[in-house]
């Protein structure tokens, strides 16, 4: 298989992953006993995401998100909830920074397996107006995990 064909296959797979998380979001809903709530809005496009977190001894014990917006913002929030559940503040900060680096064009971040399904959003870096959509859920939501350690 030639490199362009492989690249097209990967792009199609990534697009399908994004659409799957948009159509069937993971961890979407309300958390009954949230220890922290972060509301994020992108006034430029109207995307809105609320992240609710519950902490345990290890960090984020559970979390949910709600909101509305484009496929990129909603898929990113869904992927984020899967990735940060069970992790502590330091590890979440590392993931958030690495994801931000990928969204800003760092090609080495695209191959970082720690980002998991978030790597499907790597193509968003080519569209600067959409980068904010992908980063929206990461702006304050996971940062709230720091509250658990303070």
């Amino acid at each position: 298989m030639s490199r362009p064909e492989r690249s097209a296959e990967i792009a199609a797979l990534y697009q399908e992953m994004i659409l799957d998380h948009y159509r069937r979001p993971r961890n979407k809903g309300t958390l009954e006993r949230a220890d922290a709530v972060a509301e994020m809005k992108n006034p430029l496009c109207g995307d809105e995401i609320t992240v609710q977190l519950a902490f345990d001894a290890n960090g984020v014990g559970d979390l949910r998100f709600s909101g509305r917006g484009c496929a990129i913002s909603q898929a990113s929030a869904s992927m984020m909830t899967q990735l940060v559940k069970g992790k502590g503040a330091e590890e979440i900060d590392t993931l958030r920074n690495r994801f931000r680096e990928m969204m800003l064009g760092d090609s080495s971040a695209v191959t970082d397996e720690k980002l998991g399904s978030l790597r499907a959003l790597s193509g968003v870096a080519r569209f600067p107006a959409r980068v904010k959509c992908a980063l929206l859920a990461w702006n304050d939501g996971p940062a709230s995990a720091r509250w658990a350690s303070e």
Side-chain angles (χ1 to χ4, degrees):
M1 181 179 304
S2 72
R3 185 155 169 76
E5 288 174 356
R6 178 143 172 81
S7 181
E9 280 185 13
I10 290 171
L13 175 64
Y14 281 178
Q15 183 178 8
E16 186 56 40
M17 287 176 68
I18 293 167
L19 290 173
D20 181 54
H21 274 271
Y22 175 66
R23 293 177 183 144
R24 289 176 290 284
R26 282 49 156 205
N27 301 304
K28 190 164 187 177
T30 303
L31 195 59
E32 282 189 33
R33 293 189 174 102
D35 297 315
V37 177
E39 295 182 8
M40 288 104 10
K41 296 180 183 180
N42 183 345
L44 298 176
C45 66
D47 290 349
E48 299 177 357
I49 295 175
T50 300
V51 178
Q52 300 174 319
L53 300 102
F55 305 113
D56 62 18
N58 299 317
V60 176
D62 200 5
L63 73 162
R64 298 281 185 277
F65 82 97
S66 59
R68 60 189 176 91
C70 68
I72 293 170
S73 70
Q74 300 301 295
S76 180
S78 174
M79 293 172 182
M80 180 270 296
T81 63
Q82 286 188 305
L83 194 60
V84 304
K85 190 181 286 189
K87 293 186 172 49
E90 188 174 311
E91 190 173 4
I92 292 169
D93 276 344
T94 299
L95 289 169
R96 182 172 74 160
N97 291 335
R98 193 66 170 145
F99 181 59
R100 183 176 304 277
E101 290 168 359
M102 184 179 78
M103 289 293 94
L104 296 177
D106 182 340
S107 59
S108 68
V110 175
T111 59
D112 190 338
E113 292 184 10
K114 291 178 184 174
L115 290 178
S117 61
L118 286 169
R119 292 181 299 164
L121 293 164
S122 62
V124 173
R126 293 189 312 266
F127 305 96
R130 304 309 300 272
V131 168
K132 287 185 179 187
C133 300
L135 291 173
L136 185 62
W138 288 89
N139 287 340
D140 290 324
S144 300
R146 286 193 298 265
W147 301 340
S149 60
E150 293 176 354

